[in-house]
Amino acid sequence: MKGKWFHRIALALIPVGLLTSVSLAFSVMNRPPVHTAAAPVDEEAITAPTTEAATEEPVVTKTVEAQQTQTPPPAPAPADSAQTGQPAPLPELAEEPLPELVVDKTPLTQAMVELDRALEQAKLAVTALDPSAQGRYVQETVNVLAGFADPAFRAVTATASTDAYKGVRPLLVEARVKREAAEVQWIAAVQQQMEARAKKLAEIAQAGGNVQIPTATADLSQTVGPSGVLGTRGVRVEEQAMEIVSRAIRQATEALGMIPGRRSGGSSETEEPSVASEQATSQMEYVVRQLESAKKILQIAIDR
């Protein structure tokens, strides 16, 4: 009877032991770690880093700084003309200078030489004492100014050559013609340059889409007259000088008729007074002033 009770108690204790073993195992697994005493730390090792660490850290720092300095900041993206709604800017074209006006000034320089000759003869006519010499000087002034093809030309001596009398006025006419021809060529060259520029701008506009084309900067309407010749809005310097020379020829011809004993044509009578005409002298003084003014104008035309 007692054996059966012990046998039942042993069987009942078996599950209790198993549960106790499992409980002990879980308690061991969930136990917190035991803190042990830390080993003494060497202060010198902390304060004095190793040589390898001291040499490696600055190198890394310098490499990072170098990369930061060498890397440029990203450029801002250009604004799109389609997004802004504005037309694309016109490409800049090199501004070409206008063609140079080249004028043949050979007739002007020859006219200046002849004008000096006429001015010298007019001054001699002013200082002449007898009417015969005064008449020759006045006629020579007319000859040099008018030229051998002019009706007012009269040979003073028998050996006078017509080739030596080109005349100031005919030379001024030739100079004006040469200047007009040069101006016409200059206008044509300017128009060709403007047309070439407009064609180039049109090609740029066609290739680039919406491109604004500026208007031409050269305005020939301010310099080209109604007849299409440059400078015809005013009077050219050659024309101004020619007007003064024509006036001097007319006044010198009138002075011939003021000399006693001489007719306007320049021929002399058998008897001539021995005193020069004061009226002719005064008239030739005015001619001298006119020729000096014409000389200044001619100089301006040569220097242009």
Side-chain angles (χ1 to χ4, degrees):
M1 191 68 179
K2 290 181 180 181
K4 290 181 180 181
W5 279 105
F6 279 111
H7 181 69
R8 290 178 179 180
I9 292 171
L11 292 174
L13 291 175
I14 289 174
V16 175
L18 293 174
L19 292 174
T20 305
S21 300
V22 173
S23 176
L24 289 174
F26 276 105
S27 63
V28 172
M29 294 175 61
N30 295 329
R31 183 181 298 173
V34 179
H35 297 282
T36 59
V41 180
D42 190 1
E43 295 181 357
E44 294 181 358
I46 296 176
T47 56
T50 60
T51 306
E52 295 179 357
T55 56
E56 291 177 357
E57 291 180 358
V59 173
V60 176
T61 305
K62 291 182 180 179
T63 305
V64 174
E65 292 178 355
Q67 292 178 356
Q68 292 177 354
T69 55
Q70 292 178 1
T71 304
D80 191 2
S81 59
Q83 296 178 359
T84 57
Q86 297 179 356
L90 178 67
E92 295 183 358
L93 297 177
E95 189 68 23
E96 298 180 2
L98 291 177
E100 184 179 358
L101 177 63
V102 181
V103 181
D104 184 8
K105 298 180 180 180
T106 303
L108 286 176
T109 56
Q110 294 177 353
M112 178 66 77
V113 175
E114 295 298 314
L115 186 59
D116 286 334
R117 286 179 54 193
L119 184 60
E120 181 182 358
Q121 295 297 318
K123 291 179 179 179
L124 291 176
V126 172
T127 58
L129 299 178
D130 62 279
S132 177
Q134 188 178 36
R136 290 196 304 271
Y137 294 143
V138 172
Q139 183 61 55
E140 188 69 8
T141 302
V142 174
N143 292 344
V144 176
L145 293 176
F148 67 92
D150 194 272
F153 178 82
R154 296 288 186 277
V156 177
T157 60
T159 59
S161 174
T162 56
D163 295 336
Y165 294 92
K166 296 181 179 180
V168 176
R169 185 163 59 183
L171 288 172
L172 290 177
V173 173
E174 182 181 356
R176 186 192 63 184
V177 172
K178 288 184 177 295
R179 182 174 292 276
E180 289 178 350
E183 290 170 352
V184 170
Q185 295 178 359
W186 182 84
I187 292 174
V190 172
Q191 290 178 346
Q192 291 179 359
Q193 180 177 339
M194 294 172 61
E195 291 175 357
R197 180 178 177 84
K199 182 179 179 181
K200 189 173 183 180
L201 290 174
E203 292 176 354
I204 294 175
Q206 185 177 2
N210 188 12
V211 179
Q212 294 180 353
I213 301 178
T215 57
T217 56
D219 186 10
L220 299 181
S221 62
Q222 300 297 327
T223 54
V224 180
S227 61
V229 179
L230 186 69
T232 52
R233 287 182 178 275
V235 180
R236 292 183 177 86
V237 287
E238 294 89 350
E239 295 172 345
Q240 294 177 358
M242 186 168 56
E243 182 180 352
I244 295 176
V245 169
S246 299
R247 189 183 307 119
I249 292 173
R250 184 174 62 254
Q251 292 169 349
T253 304
E254 293 175 357
L256 285 174
M258 297 176 183
I259 299 175
R262 297 184 63 88
R263 294 191 295 269
S264 177
S267 61
S268 59
E269 296 179 352
T270 55
E271 295 182 1
E272 295 181 355
S274 58
V275 180
S277 172
E278 294 183 359
Q279 294 181 350
T281 300
S282 178
Q283 188 78 354
M284 292 306 295
E285 287 178 352
Y286 184 75
V287 171
V288 169
R289 292 193 296 270
Q290 292 293 315
L291 296 181
E292 288 177 348
S293 299
K295 185 177 179 179
K296 294 178 181 179
I297 295 176
L298 269 184
Q299 191 62 49
I300 294 175
I302 294 174
D303 295 340
R304 289 181 60 181

